[in-house]
């Protein structure tokens, strides 16, 4: 199965390829973008080529997927979204996303993430999508709330990132909640 290309009136979600190397390096070398992520800001373009390979291998092994977010009229990566920690036994997967700061607050993720959710619920038959958010990342928490995710609680010292233990707010969206939400759209 090939990773699908998804689209809205404004956006395209497509597989990340080598042509995205410079844009991906620009995205992940920005400390504003990686501040709440479990990766350090990139310092070398080789890191961008390595993560592209990583994303492709995750899809090939059916362990995750990541899309480039682009505008329909301009095929340039402005962010990414997708899923990792694919747990087939329990029908759950973890959501991740990022966006160039120039596009923050413009509704890009509110438009992009529902496309990805539709794919994992309808095509891959997942039951649960989880998202872990740094408690200081209020914008991400608001986004998940707008998308129908429920806050399940805070996990203390849940991850060891960038040399320290960090808390994580756990959000989830169940298939039955997604189905209920989409009938009204």
């Amino acid at each position: 199965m090939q990773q699908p290309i998804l689209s809205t009136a404004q956006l395209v979600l497509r597989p990340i390829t080598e042509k995205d190397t410079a844009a991906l390096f620009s995205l992940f070398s920005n400390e504003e973008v990686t501040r709440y992520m479990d990766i350090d800001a990139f310092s070398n373009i080789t890191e961008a080529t390595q993560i592209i390979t990583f994303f492709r291998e995750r899809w090939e092994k059916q362990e995750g997927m990541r899309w480039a977010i682009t505008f329909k009229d301009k095929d340039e990566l402005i962010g990414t979204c997708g899923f990792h920690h694919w747990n087939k036994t329990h029908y759950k997967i973890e959501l991740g996303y990022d966006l160039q700061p120039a596009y923050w607050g413009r509704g890009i993720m509110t438009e992009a993430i529902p496309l990805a959710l539709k794919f994992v619920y309808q095509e891959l038959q997942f039951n649960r999508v989880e998202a872990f958010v740094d408690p200081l990342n209020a914008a991400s928490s608001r986004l998940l709330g707008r998308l129908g995710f429920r806050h399940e609680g805070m996990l203390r010292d849940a991850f060891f990132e960038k040399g320290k233990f960090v808390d994580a707010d756990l959000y989830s969206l169940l298939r039955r909640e997604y189905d209920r939400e989409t009938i009204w759209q």
Side-chain angles (χ1 to χ4, degrees), residues 3-162:
Q3 186 173 344
I5 296 172
L6 311 172
S7 64
T8 66
Q10 173 181 232
L11 301 176
V12 173
L13 274 58
R14 60 163 175 75
I16 298 169
T17 67
E18 285 72 18
K19 74 179 181 179
D20 299 310
T21 302
L24 203 59
F25 177 71
S26 174
L27 179 69
F28 289 145
S29 64
N30 187 326
E31 292 192 10
E32 284 184 277
V33 173
T34 62
R35 178 184 320 149
Y36 301 116
M37 295 173 70
D38 61 353
I39 62 171
D40 290 318
F42 287 2
S43 58
N44 186 308
I45 199 155
T46 304
E47 294 169 292
T49 59
Q50 290 170 341
I51 205 165
I52 290 168
T53 301
F54 174 76
F55 290 150
R56 182 176 26 253
E57 289 173 353
R58 299 290 288 185
W59 174 255
E60 289 168 356
K61 294 177 182 176
Q62 296 290 281
E63 295 175 349
M65 66 207 80
R66 197 77 170 202
W67 286 277
I69 301 171
T70 69
F71 288 110
K72 259 192 176 168
D73 61 352
K74 187 175 183 185
D75 187 27
E76 182 178 326
L77 182 147
I78 60 167
T80 75
C81 70
F83 302 93
H84 47 279
H85 299 136
W86 187 326
N87 187 320
K88 294 176 186 172
T89 303
H90 299 291
Y91 297 87
K92 67 180 181 174
I93 200 161
E94 184 181 328
L95 173 66
Y97 46 87
D98 43 74
L99 191 65
Q100 282 286 8
Y103 299 99
W104 291 357
R106 294 174 51 184
I108 303 291
M109 286 302 176
T110 305
E111 188 173 337
I113 292 173
L115 285 174
L117 291 171
K118 181 178 180 180
F119 177 73
V120 297
Y121 286 124
Q122 294 182 356
E123 301 301 321
L124 299 179
Q125 299 297 308
F126 279 93
N127 181 60
R128 177 182 171 91
V129 175
E130 297 177 338
F132 294 91
V133 177
D134 186 304
L136 300 175
N137 191 347
S140 192
S141 295
R142 284 191 305 273
L143 168 67
L144 293 170
R146 280 194 307 274
L147 295 173
F149 281 73
R150 289 191 186 178
H151 181 250
E152 293 189 352
M154 183 182 63
L155 305 173
R156 300 176 308 135
D157 285 355
F159 301 104
F160 188 75
E161 298 173 357
K162 301 175 185 171

